[in-house]
Amino acid sequence: LEREERAKELSQEEKLARVTACDRPSSCQDGMLEVISLRGSLHLGQIFVGLSNADRLCQCKEATITLKKKVAVQFDGEPWRQDACTLKIKRKKDAAIMLHRATNEGGGVETEMAKLLDWAEERKVIDRNVHSV
């Protein structure tokens, strides 16, 4: 009851700041989207070699992003150039599709992770719901 009263006292801006805050550690299983920003291709290169980090903007369950000019975007590992528009992004509770992308046997981390999840489900270490997250 006391918590509800404190929540009523917050302005809309303060409520939004709490909901979209990046104060929680990132997790693939928390049901949240991580919205990040890169400052350009040089920044991306620095991130790949471990010299920098992406700028975390917020964590949310869904997002609406308005692009005012053509920019490079990436969702779920798929990059492209997007013209000015409004993007509406919502997290779906589907199995990770990208995990089974490797083309050859022993095709890297994605294949190994998919095999590990299958193994854990077969041995009842995890259930189907956890496997599909």
Side-chain angles (χ1 to χ4, degrees):
L1 183 64
E2 183 180 321
R3 185 176 178 182
E4 288 177 20
E5 287 178 18
R6 279 186 283 158
K8 288 179 185 176
E9 295 171 6
L10 297 175
S11 69
Q12 278 302 108
E13 191 173 294
E14 290 170 320
K15 288 178 185 177
L16 181 63
R18 281 189 173 193
V19 170
T20 60
C22 284
D23 57 353
R24 289 174 265 167
S26 183
S27 170
C28 294
Q29 298 179 7
D30 64 4
M32 302 293 275
L33 295 169
E34 298 289 328
V35 182
I36 63 165
S37 172
L38 304 173
R39 294 183 297 274
S41 57
L42 177 61
H43 187 213
L44 181 60
Q46 291 171 332
I47 292 168
F48 277 131
V49 297
L51 296 176
S52 185
N53 293 307
D55 299 318
R56 292 179 72 193
L57 300 178
C58 70
Q59 294 173 308
C60 56
K61 296 217 182 252
E62 55 186 78
T64 301
I65 301 170
T66 302
L67 303 176
K68 295 183 179 183
K69 63 181 184 176
K70 189 173 191 170
V71 295
V73 296
Q74 180 173 334
F75 293 100
D76 196 25
E78 298 297 324
W80 74 91
R81 301 248 330 143
Q82 178 65 51
D83 291 323
C85 68
T86 298
L87 300 169
K88 294 184 181 197
I89 305 139
K90 186 174 182 181
R91 187 181 189 283
K92 293 175 67 176
K93 277 194 87 167
D94 289 343
I97 296 166
M98 303 298 287
L99 290 178
H100 300 284
R101 241 177 32 166
T103 56
N104 59 3
E105 190 63 34
V109 174
E110 296 91 353
T111 302
E112 293 305 313
M113 182 58 76
K115 288 178 183 178
L116 177 61
L117 289 170
D118 291 342
W119 174 89
E121 184 181 355
E122 288 170 8
R123 285 162 182 75
K124 309 266 188 265
V125 174
I126 61 174
D127 64 19
R128 183 73 186 147
N129 293 333
V130 171
H131 187 172
S132 67
V133 169

